[in-house]
Amino acid sequence: MIKQLQSPEKYQIIYPDDNGEPMSDNTEQFRLIVWIKENLELLFASVVDVFVAGNLLWYPVEGNNKISQAPDVMVAFGRPKGYRGSYQQWNEDHIVPQVAFEIWSPGNRLSPMLQKLRFYEQYGVEEYYLYDPANLDLTIWERREERLEPIEEVNGWVSPRMGVRFQLSETELQIFRPDGTPFVSFVELAQLREQAESRAEQERQRAEQERQRAEQAETMLEQERSRSQALEARLRDMGIDLSQL
């Protein structure tokens, strides 16, 4: 059997891990990226073959390092968790990241954002979410055959892939897990954990107090029983028959 060797040109291609662009332009964009990425990580923590990443370069075409995109957040179903310098699709069983998120910032321009849409459409993304926090505007595209088509009603939209629900309130974007609990920040998660631990400690203290009260009641009952027995014994010694009373 003849082993086919890679051409020297193909072998020497380098796929950079960094495209030179910042992850975010401002604190709000960064907060939203981290919020979505970390909540999706938490949602799929027990599912071994769901890979979630933020601002990771995705190369869809082997041999061409000029074709790439770094979604603010992406989700690849069917791929294991773990370290990547970049998402090289040919090394990922040719699985396309099915979900991509972008957060619009004041530094974004329409033309590059349209190029991203065309990229995601061309290379097989199934669900694309673009959120503009300044204008509270969420646009969702879903793949229908070979095209990404916009969803008319985003309020209440449930992702076919992720199972999460999207809602726009008067002040913010809200995302809910399949069980109805909302996505929370790391700080909120820590506060919820502290509250749960505090409630558990209060319950433990109440249980301990109940146990102590039960022990005290048992002790008092035993003391009353002992006094009653002592009184009966004394009356018998005095010749008093309690059954005749």
Side-chain angles (χ1 to χ4, degrees):
M1 181 175 68
I2 299 176
K3 184 176 181 181
Q4 186 175 0
L5 299 176
Q6 285 185 315
S7 67
E9 294 81 7
K10 189 173 183 180
Y11 182 79
Q12 292 173 2
I13 292 176
I14 296 174
Y15 301 91
D17 294 348
D18 184 5
N19 60 5
E21 297 182 4
M23 178 177 173
S24 61
D25 294 339
N26 55 69
T27 57
E28 179 64 5
Q29 186 185 26
F30 181 83
R31 182 190 71 81
L32 287 165
I33 292 171
V34 172
W35 175 65
I36 293 171
K37 187 262 184 187
E38 291 302 313
N39 275 275
L40 289 175
E41 287 267 29
L42 184 60
L43 177 62
F44 296 110
S46 61
V47 185
V48 297
D49 62 346
V50 176
F51 173 67
V52 181
N55 197 44
L56 184 72
L57 273 173
W58 161 27
Y59 292 98
V61 181
E62 185 176 12
N64 191 333
N65 62 5
K66 303 300 183 184
I67 301 176
S68 67
Q69 196 57 256
D72 286 336
V73 180
M74 71 178 188
V75 186
F77 292 83
R79 298 307 303 149
K81 305 179 191 306
Y83 172 83
R84 271 95 163 160
S86 61
Y87 191 92
Q88 299 173 16
Q89 192 170 309
W90 56 94
N91 291 326
E92 305 284 354
D93 285 345
H94 299 280
I95 291 178
V96 175
Q98 297 92 344
V99 182
F101 288 84
E102 296 287 351
I103 307 300
W104 188 284
S105 74
N108 290 134
R109 296 294 178 264
L110 182 59
S111 179
M113 298 306 288
L114 289 174
Q115 290 175 7
K116 287 186 178 185
L117 173 61
R118 287 195 289 268
F119 180 97
Y120 296 143
E121 184 175 69
Q122 179 177 353
Y123 291 106
V125 166
E126 296 176 11
E127 302 174 27
Y128 174 35
Y129 300 84
L130 174 61
Y131 178 56
D132 178 0
N135 296 302
L136 292 175
D137 182 59
L138 174 65
T139 308
I140 302 173
W141 290 266
E142 182 186 24
R143 180 164 295 275
R144 295 171 184 168
E145 297 181 354
E146 299 302 315
R147 295 183 60 82
L148 284 173
E149 299 288 351
I151 300 300
E152 291 185 5
E153 182 54 61
V154 298
N155 266 324
W157 166 261
V158 177
S159 161
R161 272 289 184 175
M162 301 176 292
V164 300
R165 177 169 57 86
F166 294 82
Q167 198 75 33
L168 283 170
S169 74
E170 294 182 356
T171 57
E172 63 182 358
L173 169 66
Q174 298 172 318
I175 307 178
F176 298 87
R177 295 162 60 100
D179 63 3
T181 58
F183 277 21
V184 295
S185 69
F186 180 81
V187 172
E188 290 169 331
L189 187 62
Q191 290 172 340
L192 289 171
R193 184 174 62 248
E194 290 174 358
Q195 291 169 5
E197 291 173 351
S198 176
R199 285 193 297 269
E201 177 61 21
Q202 290 172 0
E203 288 298 324
R204 188 196 66 78
Q205 291 177 358
R206 278 197 291 268
E208 177 63 19
Q209 290 170 356
E210 288 296 327
R211 185 190 65 80
Q212 291 176 355
R213 281 195 290 268
E215 288 182 350
Q216 291 171 356
E218 182 63 28
T219 299
M220 292 175 63
L221 181 61
E222 183 61 32
Q223 291 172 346
E224 287 297 324
R225 187 181 298 115
S226 296
R227 283 195 292 267
S228 177
Q229 290 172 349
L231 179 59
E232 290 176 4
R234 184 175 180 184
L235 291 173
R236 281 194 297 270
D237 290 343
M238 296 171 61
I240 299 174
D241 186 358
L242 293 178
S243 63
Q244 300 299 319
L245 298 178

